[in-house]
Amino acid sequence: MSTKGGVTALTCRNYRLASDTDKPRSTGIVSEKLLSDYLHHVFPSSKQPPTVASLRKPLGFQDLGSHLDRLLTEAEPSEESRDPSVEGRLGPQPVVLDHTSGFEGLLFVDDDLLGVIGHSNFSSIRATTCVYQGKWAYEVLISSQGLMQIGWCTLSCRFNQEEGVGDTPDSYAYDGNRVRKWNVTTTNYGKSWAAGDIVSCLVDLDEGTITFCLNGQSLGTAFSGIKTGPGVAYFPAISLSFKESVAFNFGSRPLRYPVEGYLPLQDPPAADLLKAHQLLGFIKNVLSTCLDPQEDKLLEKEAADWSLHGEPTVLITLAHIFNHFAPLMCKVYLVEDVLMNFLLGILEGGGSVDEHPLIQQLLDLFWLLMEEHEVNECLKQLMMSLLRAYRFSPIIPDLGFQIHYLRLTTAILRHEKSRKYLLNNLTFDVLRSVVFFYIKTPLRVKEAGLEELIPTTWWPTHFDKEGKDEREPKDESSDERLRRRAYERGCQRLKKRIEVVEDLQVQILKLLLNNKDKTTGEASRYIFLNKFRKFLQENASNRGHPTALCPPEYMVCFLHRLVAAVRSCWDEGGRKSLSSLSSEDAYVPPQLFYNGKVDYFDLQRLGGLLSHLKKTLKDDLACKANVLIDPAEIQTTSMDDLDEDEESGAAQRPFGAAAMGGALARPSWLSSPTLGRANRFLSTAAVSLMTPRRPLSQPEKVKVRTLAVEQRTEEDIEGSHGNDGLLLGRPQEEPDQPITDKSLLEIIDGIVMMYNLSVHQQLGKMVVVADEVHEYAVALKDTEEKIARCPARRADILEELQKSQKVFAEKLNHLSRRLAWINATIYSKEKMLDVYWLLCVCIRTIEHADNTGSLFAFAPEFYLNVAMNAYSALKNYFSPANSMEELPGYEETLTQLAAILAKHFADPRIVGTDIKDSLMQALASYVCYPQSLRAVERIPEEQRVAMMRNLLAPYEQRPWAQTNWILVRLWRGCGFGYRYTRLPHLLKTKPEDANLPSLQKPCPSLLLQKHMAELLSLDKDMAASFLNSVLNQLNWAFSEFIGMIQEIQQAAERPERNFVDTRQLKVCATCFDLSVSLLRVLEMTVTLVPEIFLDWSRPSAELLLRRLAQLLNQVLNRVTAEKNLFDRVVNLRLPGLESVDHYPILVAVTGILVRILVDGDKQGTSRAAAVLLSDPCFQLHSIQHLLGEPGASSGSPAAVRPAGSSAAPLTPSAAGNPERKHFSLHAYTDYISQEEKQKVEMMLDFLTEESKQAAAATAPTSEEDLCPICYAHSISAVFRPCSHKSCKACINQHLMNNKDCFFCKATITGVEDYSKPCSS
């Protein structure tokens, strides 16, 4: 017998029990007397009194088998003493869900017929067994906290997609989602449940009552006087909505919360249970007894010190025990009730897991004395029982249950052979062990003991004008300070207890990442790596099917533990080589993206499909990375792509359809962490489902030069003797940096993918608790202020206010404790550092990939997504509890990310429209905040100029709204009256989210404005095309806006009550906002580079100025006329049109006019005035309207009135509102400076004078001399060769898009000035 790798290499096959022929040899190990004493001590008879050793019959190995059989038989209850079969129950044993006829709707049911997931609106299913008398119980393990109704029903109940258990007579249900009970009618009952809770359903048919318990606590009698008697029997039943999942325990496992007097629906295996406990007692006797052959006596010792020394007497004794014990350990009930509790008892003494080597010895014993199939089944059931126990344990103050189960899991996984079996065969089949890394958030604070742990609660009580918390309020009272500090101390206590659990979880992961245990086959890390990749594939390929995904709350916890474990392993390996990278500087080398060693499934690459990239970039791969691609393989890949395109239609079909072929691949934890995958799909409308062309669970086709996960070896990953492993195909630009463990690179890559799949969304989702605390705190403060102002004579109002105050305070006490838990588990400083490390990994990876030139196209899109999202999470989700400014190297990281956004938002190597939009939006958000804007200004000048050039590209044929928004943000704070954060008329309302980029204080960038001015000034062609596109978009946006408000006004004036579509209102407001932002870009351009419009030596200056004047006049006429269409819609104050007001658009127009008419040189202002006055739409009263001066006549031809304008207004605010009677810039003293007002007055004086002179100097023009196109200007241009005529403005605008003559369609080769010949 030899010991190898911590496992005794002895199997059942080469070991024989002692027989008579072996007697002399076996009894010669120790004396016969000592052996007899030993065996009598280990196997005491329960029926015979202890006798003197000398009077006892000698016992040897030859008699041990029969002796053991006799002992086990004695322990069995006699036929007479056995309980007669329990009456009151009908149906088969074991009890399972009725998947043949007892269901309605679409459902997924697990292999064991105990777990179920709803897959339609409201599905129902019942069990196979019913009860008609007696007291019965079963348990439901809640896996998701959504809409479900759990209880009992009779066979006569008929359910459908709208009515389920509790909605029909003779069916009774408890609904913890809505906290109600149901029996046709509904009333409040019980408590709200959460994922991880256990509901006990009890029925007493003797008394006619139904009761429910939640985690062992009775919720009280729910129903009494239920129908009983002949012909009435009740089935366990459930109705659940889409995606909700549970697992039933009818008695196949020990009930977690048994209730005295109530029996489980399924009988426990009483005889086997008794036998197992007896055999376990024998094993404990062996562990606590020691043989001393020298002294010829038995010695008592601590069982914890027992070890498997290979002592033949002990081994033979144990072999006899295991002959009976091993088959019993294949049954789930016995494993959970006997073995798991025994192993947990070993660890109860506390101390580290290393201090309890007995579990390792026992596992050695299992592998030694049990058949392989027996030990495999036993380990499988043991791990599933642990997983179930961990997941469905209630939260208590010291997290004792969770720690207890994790310690045993750690102890089992320390055993090398057991760990590798579990990794290979069970635990990570679909990475079920993610459950072990989850720490659930308690929904009920009191039951979780948080009131004792955090006795003092606190919440922010000081807010600024915009409703944001003041981080350091100066007027914080001493009582508030004491409360805050006591709350923070409570939070620290909670955090320390949670850290104990997290440390155990990291220990488990480090065991799974062990790459030194190669003595018994492939190292654990490489088994884990392959399983981990499959897990990612399942979650990446099933994103449209929620039932197949790992829950995002599990993903968040798993990601943080994995980061901690990987960084620890990385740094441990790095200590051996001083030149290797530290985890602080980790990144994923670009060759992983194209060398085929890592499978990225069908995830989108920056340059498009992988097959397309391999065809188009094969020469670059050969040249830069020495990677050759066989043309035949490219052809094969192309054919595969065609197949995938055809099958993408099948993938769109209902996910449940796949299960009809038995090929559904999904994690079973969503319903229960019990056995395997779901292989039954129940549907009452199965006829309507089609089977896809091939099962979804088939492995993906092997891509060109890509190894399947199962085919990879350690050498493929780590490399050896000149083979670079994962780093094969290093491009010339990539430094030859030594990396100790290349396998960790793939895990880091997987972590980034996990963040992209669901972690970021979950981080955003959990912020809602902090938002609720803020909302209730504001409400409480408002209520307290009202109480202080309430007059003493109004006792009724005071009483109501005090009730509200009490409700708000109770809610805040609850939420602040819950928030403490969430901050400790999700938003702690350590978790923030994990996300920051992930951000840095992505930035470095993108930078290295970018250096490879064209090969950058192979990088997966999710790296850019994670870089943007991780920054967003750090900025928006982790504050104010933790500040980004405290992160190491924060400013440098901001600058690196700014450089990435600036360079890649218009990178031609990136083809995906979604990722391009995301980059553009991220850059738009980046320039809204002072710190990130300064980071953009810190990037190299060459990159800044390139970014501005891309922003100034013509707006046609690309998404221009975000680009325009970026330019506006660079200008905001410099424009005319453009220093506001919120519009004046919205100041009294509180914003829904004060952290929105659009609500940040102005922070203009003079540096980037300077770059823009230089580009527009030097590149005349680009300036002309850019401004033409801006003017085109402004014309479109404002025209759309006017058309929409006409429809809104018409709907409002109808006598019947009509509701305007909210989507139409939103689009209308968007068009208005776009018009304002485009006007601001024009203001910025005319301020920075006025010569574009006013220097007529530039080829398009005059045309641009005329177009600008035309649009400005159109806007002014539409907006300034008294009581016109715009006025009416603004005064309606419709929800969704809050941003539509006179101020933003009129101030933007005024800014442009002031710049070209007042701030310029004399020649420029004269030209601008002449063009403006010559426009037929110009009306001086529109300018006078800006200052609220009289003269804006309501009868003016410019006042555009809709039909029916005499109708009575719909709302009081629409009639006679003095604030809306005359708009005036004088009313906005906080927004417009005195200097700006003076400039408007100067502009008005100047235009008044100019218009008088123009009117006096203009000679009457005959109709024959007017341009036949616009009839606004005189003919001033003649076309060649056809000699037709028009004004210059019309022909120049026409030639921008078309070269054909207006009239004869001949191609125009030239345009000449035209002057009317003198009459003879």
Side-chain angles (χ1 to χ4, degrees):
M1 192 164 52
S2 63
T3 300
K4 199 179 204 178
V7 181
T8 309
L10 179 65
T11 65
C12 299
R13 286 183 291 279
N14 59 24
Y15 179 78
R16 292 179 297 129
L17 297 181
S19 62
D20 288 339
T21 56
D22 300 324
K23 180 180 174 182
R25 185 171 44 183
S26 62
T27 55
I29 298 169
V30 293
S31 69
E32 288 189 9
K33 176 182 177 302
L34 180 59
L35 176 62
S36 178
D37 291 345
Y38 176 70
L39 294 178
H40 276 295
H41 177 76
V42 171
F43 302 102
S45 174
S46 58
K47 294 197 173 180
Q48 295 177 1
T51 55
V52 181
S54 58
L55 302 177
R56 251 185 340 222
K57 180 183 177 183
L59 182 60
F61 285 133
Q62 68 274 22
D63 309 315
L64 183 56
S66 57
H67 177 73
L68 189 52
D69 288 338
R70 187 172 64 255
L71 289 178
L72 295 173
T73 307
E74 286 174 1
E76 288 181 5
S78 62
E79 291 292 330
E80 295 80 18
S81 63
R82 283 182 188 167
D83 290 335
S85 92
V86 181
E87 290 188 3
R89 179 179 56 196
L90 290 172
Q93 297 277 321
V95 184
V96 293
L97 295 172
D98 188 350
H99 67 287
T100 55
S101 60
F103 67 92
E104 170 63 37
L106 287 84
L107 298 149
F108 289 118
V109 178
D110 278 356
D111 282 355
D112 58 4
L113 299 179
L114 294 174
V116 61
I117 300 179
H119 201 67
S120 61
N121 185 42
F122 204 49
S123 312
S124 303
I125 191 168
R126 64 171 183 260
T128 53
T129 296
C130 62
V131 291
Y132 57 89
Q133 72 177 46
K135 299 164 79 172
W136 302 92
Y138 70 93
E139 289 181 343
V140 181
L141 285 62
I142 305 294
S143 300
S144 62
Q145 62 191 50
L147 179 60
M148 294 180 281
Q149 293 173 200
I150 300 170
W152 304 86
C153 74
T154 62
L155 195 61
S156 61
C157 295
R158 293 289 176 265
F159 305 128
N160 55 43
Q161 291 291 299
E162 302 299 328
E163 294 183 337
V165 180
D167 297 325
T168 62
D170 300 333
S171 68
Y172 305 88
Y174 161 50
D175 171 4
N177 177 260
R178 292 173 288 190
V179 196
R180 304 184 77 80
K181 60 181 180 181
W182 297 80
N183 174 233
V184 183
T185 59
T186 178
T187 54
N188 293 333
Y189 173 78
K191 301 175 183 176
S192 59
W193 60 35
D197 286 340
I198 297 179
V199 174
S200 304
C201 304
L202 316 175
V203 63
D204 183 347
L205 291 163
D206 300 330
E207 297 293 331
T209 62
I210 290 176
T211 306
F212 297 96
C213 303
L214 189 62
N215 294 331
Q217 295 185 354
S218 175
L219 302 176
T221 301
F223 304 100
S224 56
I226 65 172
K227 185 177 177 181
T228 57
V232 178
Y234 288 93
F235 291 83
I238 185 173
S239 297
L240 64 176
S241 55
F242 182 64
K243 291 195 301 183
E244 304 306 333
S245 54
V246 298
F248 286 84
N249 181 11
F250 299 113
S252 60
R253 302 184 300 276
L255 294 183
R256 185 66 177 270
Y257 302 106
V259 180
E260 189 176 353
Y262 286 82
L263 297 174
L265 265 74
Q266 182 173 322
D267 291 329
D272 285 345
L273 197 58
L274 195 63
K275 190 185 294 186
H277 277 296
Q278 189 176 10
L279 290 165
L280 182 63
F282 298 154
I283 293 173
K284 289 178 180 176
N285 291 340
V286 172
L287 301 181
S288 59
T289 307
C290 180
L291 289 162
D292 186 352
Q294 274 74 31
E295 298 290 331
D296 202 29
K297 64 180 181 180
L298 302 178
L299 301 174
E300 293 288 334
K301 67 169 186 175
E302 286 290 329
D305 300 329
W306 185 84
S307 60
L308 183 61
H309 292 306
E311 208 172 296
T313 306
V314 176
L315 281 174
I316 295 168
T317 305
L318 286 168
H320 279 85
I321 298 173
F322 269 82
N323 197 33
H324 298 273
F325 189 65
L328 296 176
M329 288 302 102
C330 297
K331 299 179 180 179
V332 59
Y333 196 105
L334 302 177
V335 168
E336 194 163 316
D337 192 62
V338 179
L339 180 60
M340 188 173 85
N341 287 332
F342 168 57
L343 296 177
L344 286 169
I346 294 173
L347 295 173
E348 268 180 358
S352 70
V353 177
D354 295 333
E355 295 169 16
H356 299 280
L358 179 57
I359 291 178
Q360 306 296 306
Q361 299 292 327
L362 288 171
L363 288 169
D364 276 343
L365 200 60
F366 279 33
W367 283 101
L368 177 68
L369 297 178
M370 293 170 74
E371 294 289 347
E372 189 170 339
H373 71 90
E374 292 173 337
V375 72
N376 289 349
E377 184 64 21
C378 176
L379 280 172
K380 172 177 141 184
Q381 297 295 356
L382 177 59
M383 192 55 70
M384 286 296 97
S385 296
L386 272 172
L387 189 146
R388 198 164 32 239
Y390 175 81
R391 186 181 182 194
F392 293 98
S393 292
I395 298 289
I396 57 174
D398 64 352
L399 295 168
F401 291 123
Q402 284 76 12
I403 291 170
H404 209 36
Y405 298 125
L406 286 174
R407 279 163 55 80
L408 179 53
T409 305
T410 308
I412 293 170
L413 291 175
R414 281 185 181 280
H415 191 263
E416 183 179 319
K417 193 169 183 181
S418 302
R419 177 172 70 246
K420 289 187 178 178
Y421 164 73
L422 290 169
L423 268 170
N424 266 315
N425 298 286
L426 170 83
T427 309
F428 291 87
D429 181 28
V430 284
L431 213 73
R432 284 196 194 97
S433 71
V434 170
V435 172
F436 280 123
F437 308 117
Y438 175 53
I439 302 177
K440 62 184 177 185
T441 303
L443 197 62
R444 297 171 301 278
V445 166
K446 189 173 182 180
E447 290 174 24
L450 292 187
E451 288 183 355
E452 293 79 20
L453 206 58
I454 308 174
T456 306
T457 56
W458 173 87
W459 50 85
T461 54
H462 298 272
F463 310 98
D464 59 18
K465 290 180 181 178
E466 293 176 359
K468 296 182 183 178
D469 302 347
E470 290 183 0
R471 296 221 37 203
E472 295 178 0
K474 301 177 181 61
D475 54 346
E476 185 181 39
S477 67
S478 57
D479 287 346
E480 288 175 337
R481 192 178 301 110
L482 286 172
R483 275 185 61 204
R484 177 169 56 82
R485 289 175 179 171
Y487 175 71
E488 288 169 354
R489 285 194 297 273
C491 293
Q492 282 302 315
R493 285 194 295 270
L494 174 64
K495 187 180 173 187
K496 284 177 182 175
R497 296 188 180 188
I498 289 172
E499 282 173 351
V500 174
V501 177
E502 292 176 348
D503 289 344
L504 281 167
Q505 293 170 331
V506 172
Q507 280 182 41
I508 291 174
L509 268 174
K510 288 169 78 172
L511 287 170
L512 302 178
L513 291 176
N514 185 345
N515 64 340
K516 303 293 187 289
D517 53 350
K518 302 174 186 176
T519 51
T520 55
E522 191 178 12
S524 298
R525 180 183 296 177
Y526 305 110
I527 306 172
F528 172 84
L529 195 55
N530 292 339
K531 299 286 182 180
F532 181 47
R533 209 72 196 171
K534 282 185 180 177
F535 164 75
L536 293 172
Q537 183 173 10
E538 285 193 355
N539 280 275
S541 58
N542 289 322
R543 294 196 70 177
H545 311 294
T547 55
L549 302 181
C550 171
E553 59 270 24
Y554 288 47
M555 280 275 213
V556 173
C557 294
F558 183 41
L559 178 132
H560 288 299
R561 306 307 170 266
L562 200 52
V563 167
V566 165
R567 293 194 66 178
S568 174
C569 293
W570 184 297
D571 290 333
E572 281 174 19
R575 291 189 193 105
K576 300 169 189 171
S577 171
L578 296 176
S579 61
S580 63
L581 275 177
S582 71
S583 66
E584 201 62 47
D585 302 316
Y587 69 96
V588 179
Q591 53 265 46
L592 261 72
F593 305 142
Y594 55 74
N595 64 14
K597 297 286 186 179
V598 178
D599 187 2
Y600 286 99
F601 334 125
D602 291 325
L603 294 177
Q604 189 74 7
R605 307 300 181 100
L606 291 176
L609 290 173
L610 180 64
S611 54
H612 167 74
L613 293 175
K614 283 186 173 180
K615 282 187 285 187
T616 55
L617 297 177
K618 64 177 186 292
D619 294 337
D620 290 351
L621 281 171
C623 173
K624 293 185 176 184
N626 294 322
V627 173
L628 299 176
I629 297 180
D630 185 353
E633 290 176 333
I634 294 178
Q635 182 63 33
T636 306
T637 310
S638 303
M639 296 305 295
D640 288 349
D641 290 339
L642 286 175
D643 288 346
E644 286 167 10
D645 289 343
E646 289 173 14
E647 284 157 14
S648 64
Q652 306 289 327
R653 296 179 188 134
F655 184 53
M660 301 303 290
L664 175 65
R666 69 163 185 82
S668 59
W669 54 30
L670 281 172
S671 55
S672 68
T674 51
L675 304 175
R677 303 169 181 271
N679 65 353
R680 293 176 177 83
F681 176 67
L682 308 184
S683 170
T684 50
V687 180
S688 66
L689 297 175
M690 296 173 61
T691 307
R693 285 177 52 223
R694 67 180 184 192
L696 294 181
S697 63
Q698 275 194 2
E700 187 185 8
K701 291 185 177 73
V702 178
K703 291 186 173 69
V704 180
R705 303 186 62 80
T706 300
L707 289 171
V709 170
E710 300 84 353
Q711 296 173 336
R712 296 191 309 175
T713 62
E714 180 185 342
E715 188 174 332
D716 291 320
I717 297 169
E718 299 290 0
S720 62
H721 307 300
N723 173 13
D724 287 335
L726 286 180
L727 301 184
L728 178 72
R730 181 173 63 85
Q732 300 148 3
E733 299 85 358
E734 178 65 17
D736 189 7
Q737 184 79 44
I739 294 175
T740 313
D741 293 325
K742 298 185 180 72
S743 51
L744 294 177
L745 292 173
E746 186 174 342
I747 297 179
I748 291 174
D749 176 79
I751 292 172
V752 176
M753 194 188 298
M754 276 172 59
Y755 188 91
N756 184 60
L757 288 175
S758 61
V759 171
H760 181 73
Q761 291 89 328
Q762 183 65 16
L763 288 176
K765 184 179 174 184
M766 296 307 290
V767 176
V768 70
V769 179
D771 293 341
E772 284 183 0
V773 169
H774 175 82
E775 288 170 13
Y776 277 104
V778 171
L780 180 62
K781 188 176 181 184
D782 287 347
T783 307
E784 288 171 346
E785 289 173 355
K786 288 175 184 175
I787 289 173
R789 295 196 308 268
C790 183
R793 66 179 185 278
R794 296 306 304 269
D796 54 336
I797 295 177
L798 184 63
E799 185 183 354
E800 290 300 319
L801 286 171
Q802 286 171 342
K803 283 181 184 176
S804 299
Q805 182 187 25
K806 185 180 177 183
V807 169
F808 291 149
E810 286 176 357
K811 190 72 177 175
L812 278 167
N813 281 325
H814 169 83
L815 286 172
S816 61
R817 291 187 174 105
R818 193 153 177 255
L819 182 62
W821 183 282
I822 290 170
N823 282 339
T825 54
I826 298 175
Y827 299 120
S828 68
K829 180 74 173 177
E830 293 72 22
K831 311 297 184 299
M832 188 180 194
L833 287 169
D834 286 347
V835 176
Y836 182 61
W837 177 77
L838 212 55
L839 168 63
C840 295
V841 166
C842 289
I843 287 174
R844 284 189 288 269
T845 301
I846 294 163
E847 288 175 344
H848 281 263
D850 181 33
N851 292 337
T852 61
S854 57
L855 299 185
F856 179 61
F858 281 97
E861 282 186 355
F862 64 78
Y863 273 90
L864 275 171
N865 277 324
V866 172
M868 294 181 284
N869 288 336
Y871 166 71
S872 172
L874 292 169
K875 182 164 63 70
N876 299 321
Y877 302 157
F878 286 88
S879 61
N882 297 292
S883 173
M884 271 192 81
E885 288 81 356
E886 298 169 7
L887 294 169
Y890 161 70
E891 288 199 352
E892 184 185 350
T893 304
L894 269 188
T895 307
Q896 289 175 309
L897 182 56
I900 287 171
L901 296 177
K903 181 171 185 178
H904 298 302
F905 84 92
D907 192 334
R909 295 172 295 180
I910 299 175
V911 300
T913 53
D914 289 345
I915 188 67
K916 281 183 172 181
D917 286 348
S918 298
L919 286 164
M920 187 78 79
Q921 290 170 18
L923 184 60
S925 174
Y926 221 69
V927 298
C928 291
Y929 300 88
Q931 287 177 319
S932 46
L933 180 60
R934 299 290 91 84
V936 175
E937 293 178 344
R938 285 196 300 270
I939 65 177
E941 183 177 354
E942 184 183 348
Q943 291 184 21
R944 291 198 306 269
V945 173
M947 178 188 80
M948 293 307 298
R949 184 180 294 279
N950 288 323
L951 288 173
L952 295 174
Y955 282 8
E956 283 81 4
Q957 308 300 323
R958 71 190 186 99
W960 54 271
Q962 288 290 351
T963 308
N964 196 76
W965 170 246
I966 295 171
L967 294 174
V968 168
R969 288 302 308 192
L970 300 179
W971 177 244
R972 190 170 181 176
C974 294
F976 183 91
Y978 200 36
R979 292 169 293 280
Y980 56 82
T981 302
R982 299 187 65 208
L983 290 168
H985 68 288
L986 295 178
L987 274 183
K988 292 179 182 177
T989 61
K990 289 182 180 176
E992 290 182 8
D993 184 2
N995 293 317
L996 287 174
S998 58
L999 296 178
Q1000 303 311 305
K1001 292 180 180 177
C1003 50
S1005 173
L1006 300 179
L1007 179 62
L1008 296 176
Q1009 288 177 23
K1010 177 186 166 191
H1011 292 323
M1012 175 178 171
E1014 290 170 350
L1015 286 167
L1016 291 176
S1017 180
L1018 296 174
D1019 193 334
K1020 296 179 181 180
D1021 291 338
M1022 182 182 74
S1025 59
F1026 165 69
L1027 281 169
N1028 269 313
S1029 65
V1030 172
L1031 292 167
N1032 287 341
Q1033 302 300 348
L1034 175 59
N1035 186 37
W1036 169 83
F1038 191 72
S1039 300
E1040 285 290 310
F1041 168 70
I1042 294 297
M1044 286 184 181
I1045 63 172
Q1046 283 175 344
E1047 293 176 15
I1048 292 167
Q1049 172 67 11
Q1050 288 166 7
E1053 287 186 339
R1054 292 188 190 121
E1056 66 273 13
R1057 294 292 294 172
N1058 283 333
F1059 295 94
V1060 183
D1061 182 17
T1062 53
R1063 184 175 172 275
Q1064 185 183 6
L1065 292 174
K1066 190 174 180 182
V1067 173
C1068 179
T1070 302
C1071 287
F1072 179 79
D1073 293 340
L1074 285 174
S1075 302
V1076 173
S1077 66
L1078 287 160
L1079 284 166
R1080 287 296 184 181
V1081 169
L1082 288 169
E1083 181 194 12
M1084 175 166 62
T1085 308
V1086 83
T1087 304
L1088 296 174
V1089 202
E1091 60 268 24
I1092 291 181
F1093 294 96
L1094 303 177
D1095 180 4
W1096 286 8
S1097 62
R1098 295 172 73 109
S1100 55
E1102 184 182 357
L1103 171 63
L1104 290 172
L1105 185 58
R1106 290 189 184 280
R1107 290 195 65 196
L1108 178 64
Q1110 182 185 1
L1111 283 168
L1112 294 180
N1113 281 323
Q1114 180 188 352
V1115 172
L1116 281 171
N1117 291 340
R1118 290 284 189 176
V1119 175
T1120 60
E1122 290 268 342
K1123 297 182 182 177
N1124 70 345
L1125 179 65
F1126 185 85
D1127 255 350
R1128 286 168 176 269
V1129 172
V1130 167
N1131 291 337
L1132 285 174
R1133 288 293 169 217
L1134 296 173
L1137 291 184
E1138 292 88 355
S1139 64
V1140 178
D1141 192 65
H1142 294 76
Y1143 181 84
I1145 195 161
L1146 288 181
V1147 172
V1149 171
T1150 306
I1152 299 172
L1153 292 174
V1154 166
R1155 184 64 193 85
I1156 60 175
L1157 295 171
V1158 177
D1159 292 343
D1161 57 34
K1162 190 172 182 182
Q1163 184 185 21
T1165 54
S1166 299
R1167 285 175 176 168
V1171 169
L1172 194 66
L1173 293 171
S1174 66
D1175 188 86
C1177 295
F1178 174 76
Q1179 295 182 7
L1180 188 60
H1181 77 81
S1182 296
I1183 309 296
Q1184 293 168 340
H1185 181 94
L1186 298 174
L1187 294 172
E1189 294 188 4
S1193 168
S1194 60
S1196 165
V1200 179
R1201 293 178 180 274
S1205 60
S1206 60
L1210 289 179
T1211 60
S1213 63
N1217 188 335
E1219 291 181 7
R1220 294 292 161 199
K1221 200 166 186 181
H1222 291 292
F1223 171 85
S1224 174
L1225 295 176
H1226 291 302
Y1228 298 94
T1229 52
D1230 293 339
Y1231 289 81
I1232 296 174
S1233 67
Q1234 193 60 37
E1235 182 187 358
E1236 288 173 335
K1237 288 178 192 170
Q1238 289 173 357
K1239 287 185 177 180
V1240 178
E1241 290 169 356
M1242 290 168 60
M1243 177 184 72
L1244 181 56
D1245 293 342
F1246 175 63
L1247 283 176
T1248 304
E1249 186 61 32
E1250 288 289 314
S1251 61
K1252 288 176 183 176
Q1253 293 179 11
T1258 304
T1261 306
S1262 68
E1263 192 172 328
E1264 293 177 358
D1265 297 333
L1266 288 175
C1267 169
I1269 303 300
C1270 65
Y1271 283 91
H1273 306 106
S1274 300
I1275 294 173
S1276 55
V1278 59
F1279 318 153
R1280 297 296 180 219
C1282 62
S1283 299
H1284 286 109
K1285 305 177 187 70
S1286 77
C1287 66
K1288 283 185 179 178
C1290 287
I1291 188 57
N1292 287 341
Q1293 189 164 350
H1294 177 69
L1295 288 176
M1296 288 170 56
N1297 304 307
N1298 200 328
K1299 300 298 181 187
D1300 296 341
C1301 174
F1302 287 115
F1303 308 101
C1304 63
K1305 303 302 179 187
T1307 302
I1308 298 172
T1309 57
V1311 177
E1312 297 175 0
D1313 290 342
Y1314 171 80
S1315 58
K1316 184 179 177 182
C1318 297
S1319 57
S1320 55

